[in-house]
Amino acid sequence: MLSGSDTVYVLRYFDVIGRAEGCRLLLTAANASWTEEHPEWPAEKANQPFERLPVLVERSNGNEWILCESLTIERYLARVFGFMPTDLKQAALQEQMADQQADLLSAFFAQLTATGDMKSKQIDEFNTLFDRMVKEHGRILSRSSSKQHLFGDQLSYADISLYAFYKLFIVYLKCYQSDIAEIVKSKLTPEIINLILSIEKEPQLAPHFSKCDTMAAIFTAKDF
Amino acid sequence: MSSSNASYTLRYFDAIGLAESSRILLTAAGVEWTEEHPEWPQEKPNQPHGRLPVLVEKSTDGSPDFVICESSNVERYIARTYGFLPADLKQAALQEQLRDLISDVISLFFTQIQCKGEEDKAEFQTKFDGLLETLINVQTKLLKDNGNTGRLFGDKLSYADIITYGLYINLLIGFVKFNADIADSVKSKLTPEIVKLISAVETDPLVEKHKSRGGSLVAAISA
């Protein structure tokens, strides 16, 4: 671990799953000292470096250091706490999964807000991208010796990022589109569902589920 | 740090787009590299995520080539391998966050041009303008705090400098084919500090060999 034992973190975000779940899971899995702040919004907008959330505040030895942008925060925490491989090639293979997932989130909002003849085009694009991504997840999983992790035999950044992504689509985004959870669930293979549920059972993540539900109940026996 | 027998293929369209920063990074790294323009969409299924750019690092020992994708991931990999991103995690993260902000600016640009109704177009134009203003303010403050040398961090050409150049060459040249008004609009918002960065990148000895298919961004700004 590269952070001192007296380092504390504050994650500033809205009180929703949104784009911060990966950060929350990483801080939890790392057993870091951390708290969450929900700034008054938009009152606190001008006080954030990029006028956006999430923001990570790291306090250590009386110093304060601030980082923005959800994916950069995730990659930073993953590296500090040893969830990202130090080998650059192995790291890039994990990072590209997170980038692909970010594209999917953009495609979701694009099809949500599209109108007219763009709507069906954007829906097709979203479905194509999602199906391709699920296939890629399956391909990586098939090459992993442990079907409970994407790479190697320990919880990695890729596992945490994948879990946060599926949680976003299955638990959160229904507030924007009521049928998205069912649409996404229907695309998942038993292997991917097994991976999601295995990640959830990681002891390092246990404290996370004292604050929210697991997805186990969502995937009923008939999904397998 | 540079591996003298490494060679790369960068697959993209024959356009500036999301490959330009990677082109500049590969050139600045001084490594052997070539570009491929795959038949499209025929070659889509043959790419890891069905999209471009893709970077192939050619294997020298008979093992499979190393292949990665996603434009910002490709950029970070080249930058880390060849020292354009610092090894210090905090210093690297401060540079990476700029690229994530740039991704969102580009995303808003493409969302706006795809809007059909006038109301939607106006809404996303406002969002694009607002986020670009935030980005310009952040970049300008960093440049000023670093002594207005045309460098965002430190005193050498960095990943942050290159991906910043990569954004503006699109907003001022590459994206004009999608939106004819964008170049003049963005040009009017550039601060002197950013103009200096653009010149510093384009004239850097490490970047000299890079000839953009869009021509000189410095010339486009002074035109």
Side-chain angles (χ1 to χ4, degrees), chain A residues 58 68 72 75 95 103, chain B residues 51 76 90 96-97 100:
Chain A
E58 182 177 313
C68 310
T72 294
R75 290 191 301 265
E95 290 181 32
D103 276 352
Chain B
R51 309 176 97 189
R76 289 190 303 267
K90 285 184 167 61
E96 289 179 45
Q97 68 181 353
D100 284 357

Side-chain angles (χ1 to χ4, degrees), chain A residues 110 118 122, chain B residues 12 17-18 102-115 121 124 128 170-171 174-179 182:
Chain A
M118 278 305 282
Q122 297 285 32
Chain B
Y12 195 61
L18 296 177
I102 283 172
S103 291
D104 286 349
V105 168
I106 292 173
S107 199
L108 281 172
F109 171 81
F110 282 109
T111 301
Q112 195 274 341
I113 60 167
Q114 285 169 2
C115 286
K121 270 183 142 25
F124 278 97
F128 170 82
N170 274 304
L171 293 183
F175 289 173
V176 169
K177 63 187 176 203
F178 299 116
N179 176 347
I182 185 124

Side-chain angles (χ1 to χ4, degrees), chain A residues 50 52 58 65 67-69 71-72 75-76 79 89 92 95-96 99-100 103 118 122 132, chain B residues 49 51 57 66 68-70 72-73 76-77 80 90 93 96-97 100-101 104 114 116 134 138:
Chain A
F50 290 5
R52 316 170 94 192
E58 182 177 313
W65 181 76
L67 188 64
C68 310
E69 297 300 317
L71 291 177
T72 294
R75 290 191 301 265
Y76 170 73
R79 286 195 157 86
K89 287 182 168 60
E95 290 181 32
Q96 74 185 17
D99 286 349
Q100 183 182 37
D103 276 352
M118 278 305 282
Q122 297 285 32
R132 186 182 296 129
Chain B
H49 291 178
R51 309 176 97 189
E57 183 171 322
F66 175 65
I68 53 170
C69 58
E70 304 296 335
S72 57
N73 183 52
R76 289 190 303 267
Y77 174 74
R80 288 198 179 103
K90 285 184 167 61
E96 289 179 45
Q97 68 181 353
D100 284 357
L101 192 53
D104 286 349
Q114 285 169 2
K116 295 299 182 190
T134 298
V138 165

Side-chain angles (χ1 to χ4, degrees), chain B residues 22-183:
Chain B
S22 291
R23 292 181 180 114
I24 298 173
L25 282 160
L26 286 165
T27 301
V31 294
E32 205 183 298
W33 72 280
T34 55
E35 195 164 323
E36 261 174 29
H37 304 139
E39 285 293 307
W40 208 257
Q42 293 90 318
E43 290 292 318
K44 226 179 196 295
N46 298 332
Q47 316 308 322
H49 291 178
R51 309 176 97 189
L52 300 177
V54 166
L55 182 74
V56 179
E57 183 171 322
K58 307 210 205 114
S59 160
T60 51
D61 60 3
S63 61
D65 291 339
F66 175 65
V67 183
I68 53 170
C69 58
E70 304 296 335
S71 61
S72 57
N73 183 52
V74 168
E75 292 159 12
R76 289 190 303 267
Y77 174 74
I78 301 166
R80 288 198 179 103
T81 304
Y82 295 102
F84 293 100
L85 264 173
D88 179 81
L89 297 185
K90 285 184 167 61
Q91 293 307 312
L94 290 176
Q95 296 200 27
E96 289 179 45
Q97 68 181 353
L98 297 176
R99 177 57 169 93
D100 284 357
L101 192 53
I102 283 172
S103 291
D104 286 349
V105 168
I106 292 173
S107 199
L108 281 172
F109 171 81
F110 282 109
T111 301
Q112 195 274 341
I113 60 167
Q114 285 169 2
C115 286
K116 295 299 182 190
E118 285 313 306
E119 237 179 70
D120 286 345
K121 270 183 142 25
E123 182 197 336
F124 278 97
Q125 183 67 52
T126 301
K127 284 183 174 164
F128 170 82
D129 289 339
L131 197 62
L132 180 62
E133 187 181 330
T134 298
L135 177 69
I136 286 173
N137 289 341
V138 165
Q139 290 168 340
T140 300
K141 181 172 193 313
L142 284 166
L143 288 162
K144 281 182 171 162
D145 289 349
N146 199 32
N148 193 21
T149 56
R151 305 261 187 246
L152 282 160
F153 299 94
D155 51 18
K156 290 191 304 183
L157 181 68
S158 71
Y159 158 85
D161 296 332
I162 291 170
I163 54 97
T164 298
Y165 183 95
L167 167 70
Y168 289 116
I169 196 165
N170 274 304
L171 293 183
L172 293 166
I173 299 176
F175 289 173
V176 169
K177 63 187 176 203
F178 299 116
N179 176 347
D181 302 326
I182 185 124

Side-chain angles (χ1 to χ4, degrees), chain A residues 10-11 14 40 45 50 59 74 114 140 165 167 187:
Chain A
V10 176
L11 181 67
F14 309 104
E40 287 292 312
K45 209 177 199 293
F50 290 5
R59 294 192 179 115
E74 284 181 14
I140 293 170
F165 173 81
K167 180 171 178 177
K187 293 176 183 298

Side-chain angles (χ1 to χ4, degrees), chain A residues 93-145:
Chain A
L93 291 175
Q94 297 204 17
E95 290 181 32
Q96 74 185 17
M97 294 182 71
D99 286 349
Q100 183 182 37
Q101 288 156 12
D103 276 352
L104 254 308
L105 188 57
S106 297
F108 167 76
F109 283 112
Q111 59 90 42
L112 183 72
T113 57
T115 52
D117 42 318
M118 278 305 282
K119 182 87 172 170
S120 59
K121 188 170 165 236
Q122 297 285 32
I123 289 173
D124 283 347
E125 175 70 359
F126 171 76
N127 281 314
T128 301
L129 286 176
F130 208 105
D131 292 339
R132 186 182 296 129
M133 181 199 66
V134 170
K135 226 170 130 186
E136 177 68 2
H137 289 169
R139 187 192 68 82
I140 293 170
L141 198 52
S142 73
R143 297 177 67 181
S144 142
S145 51

